[in-house]
Amino acid sequence: MSTTVEAPPQQAGAQRRGSGSRMAWLVWGVGALCYCAALFHRAGLGVAAPEAVQRFDAGPGVLALFSALQLGVYLVLQIPAGLLADRLGPRKVITGGMIALAIGSAVFALSGSIVGGITGRMLIGFGDAFMFTNVLRLAAHWFPPHRYGKVAALTGLAGGLGQVVSTLPLSLSLHSLGWVPTFLGAAALTAALGLAAALIIRDRDSSARTRVAESEPVSERIRHSLRAVAAQRGTRHAFWTHFVLMAQFVAITTLWGGPWLSAAQGHGQSEVGSLLLVSVAGFIAGSWVAGQYVSGRPRRRERYTFGLSSMVVVVWAVMVGWPGALPMPVLVVALLAVGVAGGAAMLAFDGARTANAEHRSGTATGVVNMGGFSAAVLIQLLVGGVLELVSEWDPAVGYRWAFAPVLALLVIGTASQWWSRDRALR
């Protein structure tokens, strides 16, 4: 006669948690790699801008249109991305987004016309729009609430790695391999990651399905979901936090950092890649600090993000007001500060997740993400428009005028962030 010895309930539970934890990190890790690829594509134009000017025979206004339309598509799709994350699930949406990114990169690689270039960047914006929200949705489904903030910060780190590849490595590839092989290779790798997403990602932990099904409504009207999310003070505060911290980082790394460093600051193309890498390194450091020491602590989070918002206002005031080229130490500190603040923008999603029900986490993420990227679209258009008006001026002076609207938006966003703070946490 044989007997079956069952593990004690505590031990069995620990085994399930251990197995679930490994699967959670695998599922999230594949999603994070997809987000890493999306950030590479988003930021690639910043380093490739000089080559893009020659390839498409475009001035600063047209180059701004490339980036603004890409970010505009991203912005418009943030609410749909959040709603789809809550309804279709991350696996389908991430896979579809990766396909769009791969096609967009291939079109951008092969096209030599402005229309083709814009089409490629818009497809990249379309695919990019669905990445971050759905990776955070995976975090909400696979990890307990008290770990969500740290996983969100780690997601920011993954995006930072994608931006690292879009700086000096991309610059070296463009110079050694050329335009078409570089972006076609990126398209092929993106397609491979899309296949991995389809095969590996699962929307939620199967052991948690019963609990989630009991705690979440089966369906909710879109209007009601949006109103419930927007009504939360924490959502509004997170919106303005992201508006300030992310937008100024996007302004430097996705388009204007490269031209500003070369034309106005007098640095060569290899130096431009290295200097942008400083900002991306700051982004990674900022994400790590936010995840380790700030996320999950509401009082510390609001004070820390407001302090960083005030810091970037000062940094951009220096960039606008400094006569001539910035000394190298000042320039490095400014770029590092821009990056650290951009990395801390991930804390906005920690605040939004805390303020909203779990079944609305995708919608809340989409609403907050609109903060930084609505400002980013405005920045791209305003900077490009001013540069067109002052194209005959000395570039150092022209960029000071062009960056003035960025400073104005940062001041408005920081004031709104202060106004929407939780006064009970003072």
Side-chain angles (χ1 to χ4, degrees):
M1 186 174 93
S2 62
T3 59
T4 302
V5 179
E6 295 186 0
Q10 295 89 345
Q11 182 178 347
Q15 291 172 348
R16 285 196 300 270
R17 284 194 298 272
S19 175
S21 176
R22 288 191 293 271
M23 187 62 185
W25 286 112
L26 174 63
V27 169
W28 171 84
V30 173
L33 282 175
C34 293
Y35 179 59
C36 177
L39 264 289
F40 165 81
H41 289 293
R42 182 196 300 174
L45 187 58
V47 168
E51 286 83 357
V53 168
Q54 296 177 3
R55 182 174 181 84
F56 299 105
D57 192 22
V62 175
L63 204 59
L65 188 63
F66 272 48
S67 184
L69 287 174
Q70 173 190 332
L71 294 177
V73 170
Y74 180 99
L75 173 64
V76 168
L77 290 174
Q78 282 312 291
I79 296 299
L83 294 170
L84 286 174
D86 291 339
R87 285 159 175 79
L88 293 183
R91 176 176 170 269
K92 293 179 181 178
V93 181
I94 289 176
T95 301
M98 294 301 286
I99 293 172
L101 282 168
I103 294 173
S105 183
V107 170
F108 193 61
L110 297 173
S111 178
S113 68
I114 291 176
V115 173
I118 288 176
T119 301
R121 298 315 295 183
M122 290 180 71
L123 282 168
I124 286 171
F126 181 89
D128 183 17
F130 297 101
M131 291 299 112
F132 185 66
T133 299
N134 282 275
V135 176
L136 289 192
R137 188 62 168 147
L138 287 174
H141 278 165
W142 281 89
F143 294 92
H146 70 275
R147 300 184 71 179
Y148 179 84
K150 290 188 176 181
V151 178
L154 288 174
T155 305
L157 280 173
L161 293 176
Q163 292 187 323
V164 166
V165 180
S166 73
T167 55
L168 189 58
L170 176 60
S171 178
L172 293 174
S173 178
L174 285 170
H175 283 85
S176 60
L177 300 178
W179 182 279
V180 174
T182 294
F183 287 109
L184 270 185
L189 289 174
T190 302
L193 277 175
L195 178 61
L199 294 176
I200 297 174
I201 289 178
R202 295 295 178 266
D203 290 338
R204 65 175 75 249
D205 185 357
S206 60
S207 65
R209 282 178 180 171
T210 302
R211 175 183 57 79
V212 173
E214 291 175 352
S215 63
E216 293 185 6
V218 175
S219 63
E220 186 175 53
R221 289 183 179 274
I222 293 175
R223 182 180 300 177
H224 176 73
S225 182
L226 288 173
R227 284 180 176 175
V229 167
Q232 303 301 317
R233 181 215 60 83
T235 303
R236 296 191 297 273
H237 184 271
F239 177 95
W240 289 112
T241 297
H242 201 252
F243 183 98
V244 176
L245 300 182
M246 181 55 69
Q248 52 92 42
F249 177 73
V250 170
I252 288 295
T253 57
T254 62
L255 180 60
W256 295 118
W260 171 64
L261 289 169
S262 59
Q265 300 298 311
H267 297 285
Q269 192 60 31
S270 60
E271 290 178 308
V272 167
S274 299
L275 286 168
L276 289 177
L277 191 58
V278 169
S279 194
V280 174
F283 181 93
I284 293 173
S287 297
W288 182 82
V289 170
Q292 289 293 114
Y293 302 109
V294 187
S295 67
R297 303 170 175 86
R299 183 191 301 269
R300 185 179 298 181
R301 181 179 63 236
E302 295 207 359
R303 290 178 175 177
Y304 182 69
T305 53
F306 179 75
L308 288 178
S309 297
S310 302
M311 177 190 72
V312 296
V313 168
V314 173
V315 167
W316 281 83
V318 170
M319 291 162 61
V320 170
W322 195 284
L326 293 170
M328 182 60 76
V330 176
L331 179 60
V332 169
V333 170
L335 290 173
L336 188 63
V338 166
V340 169
M346 299 300 142
L347 290 169
F349 303 104
D350 183 34
R353 174 66 185 90
T354 303
N356 290 276
E358 194 273 342
H359 68 276
R360 300 190 187 113
S361 63
T363 305
T365 299
V367 170
V368 171
N369 218 17
M370 288 184 69
F373 289 96
S374 60
V377 170
L378 285 173
I379 286 170
Q380 305 294 40
L381 293 174
L382 289 170
V383 172
V386 173
L387 287 175
E388 287 284 359
L389 291 175
V390 300
S391 58
E392 301 300 323
W393 294 12
D394 177 79
V397 178
Y399 271 96
R400 287 173 58 196
W401 279 95
F403 282 175
V406 182
L407 177 59
L409 288 174
L410 295 179
V411 170
I412 292 170
T414 301
S416 300
Q417 184 184 348
W418 172 257
W419 184 257
S420 60
R421 74 195 188 282
D422 188 350
R423 289 160 177 80
L425 296 178
R426 287 182 296 176

